[in-house]
Amino acid sequence: MTKPHRLTVNQDWHPDSSGAATSSANRSLRGQDGRGNPPAKRRATPPAAGMARRPSRTEEVQQQIKQLILERGLTAGDPMPTELDLLDEINVSRNSLREALKALQAVGIVEIRHGFGMYVGTMSLVSLVDELTFHGLMSLQAGRNDLRHLVQIREVLECGLIQEVIRRDTGEADPDGDELTEVMARMEAEARAGGVTPETDKRFHELLYEPLGNPLVIQLLSAFWEVYHALHAELGEADETPVEIAARHRRVFDAVRAGDVAESVAALTEHFSGIRRRLDRPV
């Protein structure tokens, strides 16, 4: 028995509405796949490793503003050109300029005083404090306590810095009339009255390292101090009494005044041991 002849259809050719043959290549050009559907969108190819990302327009304007500050020799607190002057000098749109200024203000390079103008910003770690405080709070809510990492860094810094303070001591300071002596006395008075104020505690540590003449050291340690005290209420009550806290500070004070490096480090370690115990409690 003879098998019926099977018609073979070329899948690459189909009649269109006018009866003309249309190739799959033509369908692709018309924005269709083999089933008449629009082609899938292609994913953007990420830049190859090692290729530098092109800066955005806002980033370019930021760099131009920073370059202008440097070229004019402006320093912290100096007035900057007005917005209209910057528009003319940098030749950008108002929106791009304002976005760039907001970004520079966020990192402390530019200070905008509404009603007064723009000024070169002063160095500040406010953004760092806010970020560390927020992430520290998140870690506490997640059952962790990342604050101990920050306190560890602070302890390492202070134990190293206190040695440098003693090495640089010329013995010219009046032990009975300088501000550190006054703050130590105030701390002990506050402790006897029931509690050492955060302001007194912070000032004590600032004055310890002021002889180094390094403002960044003071700012960095103050930033760590502010983060800890912003979160200390979440850690429960301290194990030490106010009198014991003041006594730990007195030991540090006496060691520095005596120029005893080993004792000053031991005193700071004892001081931080109370903080570590508080941080090691379950959150």
Side-chain angles (χ1 to χ4, degrees):
M1 180 175 179
T2 305
K3 293 182 180 180
H5 179 69
R6 179 176 294 175
L7 178 64
T8 301
V9 179
N10 187 344
Q11 297 298 326
D12 292 333
W13 295 86
H14 302 275
D16 60 15
S17 58
S18 62
T22 305
S23 69
S24 58
N26 289 336
R27 290 197 309 278
S28 178
L29 289 174
R30 293 189 309 190
Q32 297 178 342
D33 60 11
R35 297 178 179 146
N37 299 318
K41 293 183 178 179
R42 292 184 179 180
R43 294 183 178 179
T45 304
M51 291 182 62
R53 180 183 66 85
R54 182 175 180 178
S56 67
R57 183 55 175 155
T58 299
E59 291 171 334
E60 291 177 346
V61 177
Q62 289 179 53
Q63 290 301 323
Q64 289 176 285
I65 295 172
K66 288 190 284 187
Q67 189 62 33
L68 180 147
I69 293 172
L70 294 174
E71 289 176 351
R72 296 193 177 187
L74 301 179
T75 59
D78 286 347
M80 289 181 54
T82 65
E83 184 177 290
L84 290 177
D85 290 338
L86 288 175
L87 287 171
D88 290 338
E89 293 193 40
I90 300 178
N91 192 25
V92 294
S93 69
R94 188 181 297 271
N95 286 340
S96 294
L97 177 63
R98 288 182 173 177
E99 288 179 9
L101 288 171
K102 286 180 181 179
L104 292 175
Q105 183 182 28
V107 295
I109 294 176
V110 171
E111 180 183 357
I112 301 175
R113 305 175 190 172
H114 296 289
F116 295 93
M118 294 182 294
Y119 298 81
V120 179
T122 56
M123 188 170 58
S124 171
L125 298 180
V126 172
S127 297
L128 176 65
V129 171
D130 290 342
E131 184 175 353
L132 288 175
T133 301
F134 179 73
H135 284 282
L137 185 58
M138 283 201 305
S139 76
L140 290 173
Q141 290 182 343
R144 305 189 314 274
N145 190 350
D146 293 345
L147 191 57
R148 62 169 60 91
H149 301 153
L150 183 146
V151 170
Q152 182 184 43
I153 294 172
R154 180 184 161 194
E155 181 178 358
V156 169
L157 285 175
E158 291 207 38
C159 286
L161 292 169
I162 201 70
Q163 299 177 58
E164 188 65 21
V165 168
I166 293 174
R167 291 192 187 100
R168 293 191 184 189
D169 185 18
T170 61
E172 296 177 357
D174 181 0
D176 297 320
D178 68 340
E179 187 180 355
L180 182 59
T181 302
E182 296 173 1
V183 170
M184 185 68 253
R186 182 164 70 244
M187 181 182 292
E188 290 174 327
E190 290 175 350
R192 290 191 295 271
V196 176
T197 63
E199 293 76 17
T200 299
D201 181 41
K202 181 181 180 182
R203 189 58 181 155
F204 177 88
H205 287 272
E206 289 176 345
L207 290 170
L208 271 182
Y209 308 107
E210 209 170 64
L212 296 176
N214 188 333
L216 184 57
V217 165
I218 305 300
Q219 283 192 319
L220 187 59
L221 292 177
S222 293
F224 289 167
W225 184 95
E226 288 175 14
V227 174
Y228 174 79
H229 279 270
L231 298 174
H232 81 284
E234 305 290 333
L235 304 174
E237 294 295 327
D239 296 331
E240 303 166 301
T241 67
V243 172
E244 289 172 333
I245 292 173
R248 293 189 188 278
H249 286 78
R250 166 58 74 175
R251 183 183 175 189
V252 174
F253 175 87
D254 289 343
V256 172
R257 284 289 187 249
D260 190 331
V261 172
E263 171 63 10
S264 68
V265 172
L268 275 174
T269 302
E270 180 188 44
H271 169 53
F272 278 100
S273 67
I275 299 175
R276 287 195 302 272
R277 286 197 304 272
R278 190 177 183 187
L279 292 172
D280 287 340
R281 290 187 301 202
V283 293

